[in-house]
Amino acid sequence: MIGEVVGKEDPKELITSKRKETKRLTVILEDLENNRIGCTIFGEMVDQLLRHMQDGRVEPLIVVVQYFKATRWNGKTSVQSHFDISQLHIDSNLKDVAEFRSRLLGGEPSSSVRISQVPSKTAWSGVEELKQGAVLVKTIEEVLIQHEEGPTWIAASIVAINVTKDDWFYKSCRKCPKKVETPIENRYECGKCGHTHGSAALRFFCIIFV
Ligand SMILES: [Zn+2]
């Protein structure tokens, strides 16, 4: 898939289900017919792409994404990178990119900023979504027999929590998800972002059975 990056959210730091630190960045891609799609990338690709998105860039940023996974959420289709299989080609010399670029600009030089900041969906609330009735809540049985992949809401009660001793929570930095260890002179210092604070935040991580 080829497209121009026309919007970007703020990158986010997060912890994967394998407890690895990673980053996530969502950008909006647009094709020559002005169709748009959200594209979320993870890991090293985030820094790779950010390096090409300096403030005030007027050149169109054209990317080719390969082996991305399509997901459908809230009636909208988006794509996201999938482990190491996915490929992201940025500003590449591919013939398709050159063609896309010349059709996009029609031979004129580009003079305006083309990537706009998009508010990230941090304020997104699952409860709001449920209240509005915008999502379908399924039973476990319905989910077990459904064939399409994607996020889903289920109504269930927790019957067990899969934890061993005290590994289901950890003390973290208050600015990023990095784990912090013993305080130094009553302050926790984050080895990742350097933020120090008198107290640490507790983050939870556990697998539940419903
Ligand atoms: Zn931090």
Side-chain angles (χ1 to χ4, degrees):
M1 193 176 76
I2 185 167
E4 181 192 3
V5 178
V6 293
K8 78 176 261 281
E9 290 183 6
D10 281 327
K12 279 249 163 289
E13 300 202 345
L14 61 127
I15 308 261
T16 67
S17 57
K18 297 233 161 53
R19 300 195 180 198
K20 270 175 62 189
E21 286 172 37
T22 186
K23 285 181 192 171
R24 180 187 67 203
L25 174 68
T26 299
V27 294
I28 313 291
L29 301 183
E30 191 177 271
D31 69 9
L32 293 168
E33 282 81 44
N34 302 108
N35 297 305
R36 290 182 168 206
I37 193 167
C39 174
T40 303
I41 54 174
F42 295 91
E44 285 168 21
M45 264 183 207
V46 172
D47 288 327
Q48 253 179 56
L49 188 58
L50 283 174
R51 275 198 287 278
H52 291 264
M53 301 207 277
Q54 324 83 329
D55 284 342
R57 176 190 168 116
V58 293
E59 270 300 299
L61 177 56
I62 297 161
V63 294
V64 176
V65 301
Q66 214 174 4
Y67 309 120
F68 272 50
K69 199 174 134 182
T71 57
R72 204 162 165 77
W73 174 243
N74 257 348
K76 267 192 165 173
T77 302
S78 60
V79 290
Q80 60 180 58
S81 66
H82 194 55
F83 303 107
D84 294 335
I85 312 160
S86 302
Q87 300 270 326
L88 175 69
H89 309 278
I90 309 163
D91 274 349
S92 83
N93 301 319
L94 289 169
K95 197 172 132 258
D96 296 292
V97 173
E99 226 174 87
F100 187 98
R101 193 181 178 286
S102 74
R103 284 182 58 195
L104 182 70
L105 297 175
E108 301 285 318
S110 168
S111 58
S112 55
V113 174
R114 308 181 61 95
I115 303 174
S116 54
Q117 183 73 28
V118 180
S120 51
K121 294 174 196 75
T122 39
W124 177 84
S125 143
V127 179
E128 269 314 300
E129 207 168 71
L130 284 173
K131 266 198 223 149
Q132 290 168 2
V135 289
L136 203 63
V137 180
K138 295 179 177 174
T139 64
I140 292 178
E141 192 183 356
E142 285 168 333
V143 172
L144 287 176
I145 57 168
Q146 88 175 20
H147 292 291
E148 67 274 23
E149 269 185 44
T152 188
W153 281 97
I154 53 171
S157 42
I158 296 172
V159 293
I161 298 178
N162 185 14
V163 290
T164 46
K165 238 180 84 208
D166 58 359
D167 68 350
W168 58 286
F169 62 89
Y170 66 96
K171 289 186 284 187
S172 85
C173 169
R174 288 192 172 267
K175 273 220 170 140
C176 73
K178 176 83 182 169
K179 186 176 177 176
V180 290
E181 306 288 346
T182 334
I184 307 153
E185 291 170 13
N186 299 325
R187 288 191 80 79
Y188 288 94
E189 184 174 351
C190 173
K192 174 125 193 204
C193 72
H195 181 68
T196 69
H197 205 277
S199 63
L202 274 188
R203 280 178 188 266
F204 302 93
F205 182 97
C206 65
I207 295 164
I208 57 172
F209 293 103
V210 293

